[in-house]
Amino acid sequence: MTGAAVRRRPRHALKLWHRWFGLITGLWLALLAVTGIAVTFYDELDSALNADWRTVPVSANRAPIGHAVAAAERALPGFAPNMIELPGHAGDSLWMMGRALVDGAPRPVQVFADPRDGAILGWRESGAIRLDRRHAMDIVYGLHIDLLAGPWMTWFFGLVALLWVIDHGIAAALSFPKGMHLLRAFRTGGRRGSLKRLYDSHRAWGLWFLPVTLVLAVTGVTLAWPDDSREAVGLVSPVTGRLHESMADVPDARPAIDIDAAMARVVGDTGARVHSVRIFPDHGVYAVRTFDARDRDDQGRLWHYVAMDDGRVAGTRHDNGTTAGDEFFAWQYPLHSGKAFGLAGRLLVLGGGVVTLWLCLGGIRLWWRRRR
């Protein structure tokens, strides 16, 4: 075997990896790309499809949250909220998530209420496969998370994301063969419709968007495999986690204070605007989330844990945490959604999804034409 042939063997192995990775996982990546494009603008699309649920006339009047919870309990037998998101903008509705009896069985539900008086605007079962406008975006979100197949599919998507991370390095190595000028790899040549044009476009678009798609791949791993990711990062820096994750369970008891009292306690102490409230009856606390200058996105990342029995603030924690490991995980969802950089970030993620779809389809087309 000649020396040139020996030098070509590693590159040939990389080509085989890249080719078969694309052929085997291309379908899954294309699905994640298509659904991710829609999920990037989930609220806007869902509001457009369900304006009568998601929007209300702008008004300064605000009824207590308890009115909406009570109305939902009357409308849905057995309704118990576990998260309530307050209107983010004037004209937005109140969004409650929890469980209720649907067809005699407890199911996850989303309930939308008018913040002016607590009246119920509508509700839907989360994850229900119903092909109508009410459930359209919820189905798309479910497809993106686990293909509506459960935790095992989430794990599989995490594996695809991990292999995608590896493939980024291999694709970058293949894009710069020996002797090629660096900038040449970022340009396309050949006549329109030619095999060269298709190959150059595949390489160039992949390189231009490599930082975006690599971030999507890495964050896809951490979001699909949160526990394993924390263990891995913990080898380098401790990860403290949210306070309720280490709280002891308490006996079942009727709360002495309600959600509105818990929010009033936090707002009175801090003056901050509330984003949402999580309810943890097993731990006997309300987690009131408020906006903070340290937030990486628009989710309200400062958690105040208010005891249900006496209204004391049992603890506070920002998602940024206190360690480098905490900071790493605080960035994962904001980067994956693009919200870390506002509208510009979301448009970048949108572009990353479009390019990923193009790379999947273009790669299969490239393989087919070469095969012929």
Side-chain angles (χ1 to χ4, degrees):
M1 182 178 292
T2 65
V6 172
R7 288 193 297 271
R8 284 197 297 269
R9 288 181 64 183
R11 185 171 179 84
H12 180 66
L14 295 181
K15 285 182 176 180
L16 285 177
W17 163 281
H18 187 64
R19 177 188 306 155
W20 288 105
F21 168 79
L23 292 175
I24 294 172
T25 67
L27 173 64
W28 304 105
L29 280 179
L31 173 64
L32 289 170
V34 170
T35 54
I37 289 169
V39 169
T40 302
F41 291 92
Y42 178 96
D43 287 330
E44 290 83 356
L45 292 172
D46 196 39
S47 295
L49 291 170
N50 301 296
D52 54 332
W53 284 7
R54 300 296 304 268
T55 60
V56 297
V58 176
S59 173
N61 296 328
R62 288 291 182 270
I65 302 297
H67 288 193
V69 174
E73 290 172 345
R74 292 191 297 268
L76 292 169
F79 175 73
N82 54 45
M83 202 275 279
I84 300 174
E85 184 173 321
L86 275 63
H89 304 90
D92 288 350
S93 62
L94 188 73
W95 192 2
M96 298 183 286
M97 282 164 268
R99 298 184 72 84
L101 294 177
V102 179
D103 296 328
R107 304 286 188 187
V109 296
Q110 303 173 33
V111 183
F112 302 91
D114 191 328
R116 298 172 299 171
D117 56 10
I120 301 304
L121 302 173
W123 68 275
R124 64 190 174 202
E125 180 184 345
S126 298
I129 304 178
R130 297 176 184 171
L131 303 180
D132 56 39
R133 65 185 177 92
R134 300 302 193 187
H135 297 81
M137 288 308 301
D138 200 46
I139 289 176
V140 170
Y141 186 84
L143 290 172
H144 188 70
I145 297 299
D146 60 9
L147 204 61
L148 301 174
W152 73 272
M153 183 58 72
T154 301
W155 183 91
F156 176 73
F157 281 171
L159 177 61
V160 171
L162 178 60
L163 296 176
W164 193 22
V165 172
I166 297 171
D167 188 66
H168 274 80
I170 292 173
L174 292 173
S175 296
F176 300 101
K178 185 177 180 180
M180 173 181 280
H181 190 279
L182 181 66
L183 296 181
R184 173 67 185 83
F186 291 86
R187 298 195 295 264
T188 59
R191 60 181 177 80
R192 186 180 298 275
S194 67
L195 187 62
K196 176 176 173 51
R197 184 65 171 266
L198 179 60
Y199 174 78
D200 282 1
S201 298
H202 186 79
R203 178 187 60 204
W205 281 107
L207 286 175
W208 279 111
F209 273 83
L210 187 141
V212 177
T213 56
L214 179 58
V215 167
L216 292 176
V218 172
T219 55
V221 174
T222 59
L223 293 173
W225 293 353
D227 295 334
D228 295 324
S229 299
R230 278 166 168 73
E231 289 183 11
V233 172
L235 298 175
V236 180
S237 173
V239 181
T240 61
R242 291 167 177 164
L243 296 184
H244 63 266
E245 295 172 355
S246 59
M247 288 181 175
D249 289 347
V250 299
D252 292 336
R254 184 178 181 83
I257 67 167
D258 60 14
I259 297 171
D260 291 290
M263 290 195 303
R265 173 64 191 273
V266 171
V267 173
D269 289 348
T270 66
R273 185 164 67 92
V274 176
H275 168 267
S276 59
V277 181
R278 293 280 301 274
I279 299 97
F280 296 104
D282 292 343
H283 304 314
V285 294
Y286 299 107
V288 181
R289 296 173 57 178
T290 61
F291 293 98
D292 186 83
R294 294 168 289 178
D295 295 348
R296 303 299 183 194
D297 55 13
D298 60 352
Q299 296 297 304
R301 297 294 180 175
L302 182 55
W303 297 62
H304 311 260
Y305 294 90
V306 180
M308 293 179 175
D309 54 1
D310 58 10
R312 74 187 185 283
V313 177
T316 62
R317 182 187 183 276
H318 193 278
D319 277 343
N320 288 1
T322 57
T323 69
D326 293 337
E327 184 77 19
F328 173 79
F329 283 104
W331 277 100
Q332 298 309 291
Y333 175 76
L335 286 174
H336 194 77
S337 63
K339 292 182 177 181
F341 305 106
L343 179 60
R346 296 167 73 193
L347 290 174
L348 269 178
V349 169
L350 175 66
V354 172
V355 168
T356 299
L357 180 61
W358 152 249
L359 292 176
C360 292
L361 301 180
I364 293 173
R365 184 182 173 198
L366 185 62
W367 168 79
W368 180 252
R369 288 187 61 177
R370 280 179 166 176
R371 183 173 179 271
R372 293 179 62 189

